[in-house]
Amino acid sequence: MSYTTTQTSTYTTTDVEAVLRRITADLVMIASSSGATTEARAREWAHDIELLAKNDYLNFVDLTLISNGNEYKAARYYVDASGGLANDRPGNARWPRIEGAWLRITLSYKNSYDLTAQQKLAGKMKISWTPSDDDISHADLTEGDGREYSSNGYGMRRKDYN
């Protein structure tokens, strides 16, 4: 005797928006505390991240504080639609203010974000994203647990690098 099961999505775009509100709060807090970019720019990043997430094109988002070629802090947000994440409050996202620092943001897309998908979202994105081959392994930083944000079956897990 055998059994089969089918797993379907248990979240809606409203759930994605709920999670992205927490991610936006983190990005704005990081921008404000580090002074490495403006809050307005952080909100533009969040807008594009939400657009990609709603269309199921996003794998992860990586944000790094860099000065003089050195990484000082980083955070990576992994999409997790397993439904098993906690729903933490935004926080622990106060980053140091370092002279001359800037923030690098890298978005990892799913293979489904092909040319047709990119054309579908053209004109809706706030930023002209360009391909990058930057090393985002954060080899000189220590990885630790961050926060988990979820709403029904949709979530994002933040890993912190210090």
Side-chain angles (χ1 to χ4, degrees), residues 10-73:
T10 59
Y11 62 87
T12 66
T13 56
T14 301
D15 296 312
V16 175
E17 290 169 355
V19 170
L20 265 294
R21 277 195 295 275
R22 294 177 184 94
I23 305 297
T24 301
D26 276 2
L27 295 177
V28 170
M29 189 180 309
I30 289 167
S32 177
S33 62
S34 70
T37 193
T38 64
E39 291 182 22
R41 188 63 167 175
R43 291 185 192 285
E44 289 176 342
W45 292 340
H47 170 273
D48 289 358
I49 293 166
E50 182 173 323
L51 188 60
L52 290 167
K54 281 181 174 176
N55 286 281
D56 197 26
Y57 295 135
L58 187 65
N59 277 328
F60 67 82
V61 177
D62 188 276
L63 185 66
T64 310
L65 180 66
I66 300 171
S67 179
N68 295 320
N70 298 312
E71 294 183 355
Y72 287 88
K73 284 188 81 78

Side-chain angles (χ1 to χ4, degrees), residues 2-145:
S2 65
Y3 298 93
T4 60
T5 183
T6 303
Q7 183 173 355
T8 58
S9 295
T10 59
Y11 62 87
T12 66
T13 56
T14 301
D15 296 312
V16 175
E17 290 169 355
V19 170
L20 265 294
R21 277 195 295 275
R22 294 177 184 94
I23 305 297
T24 301
D26 276 2
L27 295 177
V28 170
M29 189 180 309
I30 289 167
S32 177
S33 62
S34 70
T37 193
T38 64
E39 291 182 22
R41 188 63 167 175
R43 291 185 192 285
E44 289 176 342
W45 292 340
H47 170 273
D48 289 358
I49 293 166
E50 182 173 323
L51 188 60
L52 290 167
K54 281 181 174 176
N55 286 281
D56 197 26
Y57 295 135
L58 187 65
N59 277 328
F60 67 82
V61 177
D62 188 276
L63 185 66
T64 310
L65 180 66
I66 300 171
S67 179
N68 295 320
N70 298 312
E71 294 183 355
Y72 287 88
K73 284 188 81 78
R76 185 171 297 172
Y77 297 87
Y78 293 97
V79 172
D80 185 330
S82 68
L85 296 183
N87 190 16
D88 297 329
R89 295 177 58 127
N92 197 20
R94 289 186 54 83
W95 286 17
R97 189 172 290 258
I98 298 170
E99 183 73 28
W102 58 283
L103 291 169
R104 174 187 64 208
I105 187 165
T106 304
L107 307 182
S108 172
Y109 313 117
K110 292 182 177 178
N111 290 335
S112 58
Y113 191 57
D114 57 13
L115 185 58
T116 302
Q118 292 173 32
Q119 289 171 342
K120 175 184 161 191
L121 297 184
K124 296 178 182 174
M125 303 286 270
K126 296 216 179 243
I127 295 172
S128 296
W129 299 90
T130 57
S132 170
D133 57 0
D134 287 353
D135 178 6
I136 57 170
S137 66
H138 310 304
D140 294 331
L141 300 174
T142 302
E143 181 182 329
D145 289 332

